[in-house]
Amino acid sequence: GGIITQTPKFLIGQEGQKLTLKCQQNFNHDTMYWYRQDSGKGLRLIYYSITENDLQKGDLSEGYDASREKKSSFSLTVTSAQKNEMAVFLCASSIEGQVFFGKGTRLTVV
Amino acid sequence: GQQVQQSPASLVLQEGENAELQCNFSTSLNSMQWFYQRPGGSLVSLFYNPSGTKHSGRLTSTTVIKERRSSLHISSSQTTDSGTYLCALATYQGGRALIFGTGTTVSVSP
């Protein structure tokens, strides 16, 4: 079986800072996603990518950039961290509609 | 309106009771997946079930495409079943790859 690895597990940043979250998958899946999970708000899609170098905006893309330079990796950048940014960021990959998630990066902005 | 609706929002059970969680969707279905999440934990895939019925231990998932619904049945609930259950619909309409319901929070007491 494969695995999705997100780094770091915990990220503490300062308000206004640019922060990058990384995700690697060894499933060889084409499609990858970044979701944000806030307490009581479910999952919201930030960006997804259907292949290397492809980027598609989700509902929550403002304030974020993404990069898919290799099929196996998908990174997310918070362009200017805000205090309401505190959430868990989940990376996922999928094949034929079946989705697999990483364990998440918990972001705290101080 | 919301394309994936889960009900109930929360559920309190006595150990040993059965429960049925519902997921109704208003858009065309490519696939349906159920996830489980403990507080502070990662998302664990329970079922990938585009149609029909699947079983795993005390859990049963049934997806009826014509009726635009999927259900998750928990039989003989245990305290370890406590957590949040999320359904996710995969659809390729309008560029949205995966749509999540807002979840059902289950609390099982001894």
Side-chain angles (χ1 to χ4, degrees):
Chain A
I3 191 168
I4 296 178
T5 303
Q6 289 189 239
T7 54
K9 289 184 181 175
F10 299 95
L11 180 58
I12 301 175
Q14 297 200 321
E15 202 166 11
Q17 195 176 359
K18 184 175 176 179
L19 302 165
T20 298
L21 291 66
K22 293 187 183 296
C23 177
Q24 295 268 349
Q25 53 101 357
N26 63 1
F27 288 104
N28 200 35
H29 289 165
D30 286 320
T31 307
M32 295 186 74
Y33 312 81
W34 275 106
Y35 286 92
R36 173 175 160 160
Q37 186 175 34
D38 294 90
S39 178
K41 285 188 180 176
L43 276 77
R44 292 183 286 174
L45 181 65
I46 306 172
Y47 267 96
Y48 70 100
S49 165
I50 61 173
T51 189
E52 187 177 319
N53 294 317
D54 173 73
L55 293 174
Q56 308 281 343
K57 290 183 178 182
D59 293 328
L60 208 64
S61 60
E62 193 169 329
Y64 300 94
D65 286 328
S67 173
R68 183 96 183 267
E69 292 174 352
K70 292 192 296 185
K71 187 175 182 179
S72 62
S73 68
F74 193 28
S75 63
L76 180 73
T77 298
V78 180
T79 54
S80 176
Q82 304 298 315
K83 284 214 170 161
N84 63 4
E85 215 69 78
M86 290 187 281
V88 176
F89 291 81
L90 292 168
C91 175
S93 70
S94 74
I95 186 159
E96 295 175 359
Q98 187 171 10
V99 187
F100 301 83
F101 279 90
K103 293 184 186 295
T105 293
R106 187 174 294 274
L107 173 64
T108 302
V109 181
V110 297
Chain B
Q2 193 146 5
Q3 293 177 293
V4 180
Q5 293 194 317
Q6 279 191 253
S7 61
S10 62
L11 196 53
V12 177
L13 300 169
Q14 281 289 122
E15 202 166 25
E17 286 183 331
N18 300 333
E20 183 134 318
L21 285 57
Q22 294 287 345
C23 181
N24 293 285
F25 45 95
S26 59
T27 189
S28 65
L29 172 75
N30 179 262
S31 69
M32 174 62 71
Q33 197 165 354
W34 283 91
F35 294 90
Y36 167 73
Q37 188 176 35
R38 276 189 202 286
S42 50
L43 279 163
V44 175
S45 179
L46 296 174
F47 290 102
Y48 171 66
N49 186 13
S51 68
T53 298
K54 292 193 174 183
H55 303 275
S56 176
R58 294 179 295 102
L59 302 179
T60 302
S61 168
T62 300
T63 298
V64 184
I65 296 173
K66 281 194 299 190
E67 295 177 17
R68 300 204 166 192
R69 64 174 178 86
S70 182
S71 64
L72 179 70
H73 184 85
I74 305 172
S75 63
S76 303
S77 60
Q78 299 178 1
T79 55
T80 51
D81 295 329
S82 298
T84 300
Y85 293 81
L86 288 160
C87 66
L89 167 70
T91 175
Y92 297 102
Q93 286 188 342
R96 297 284 299 278
L98 197 68
I99 306 169
F100 280 84
T102 50
T104 295
T105 302
V106 173
S107 178
V108 184
S109 54

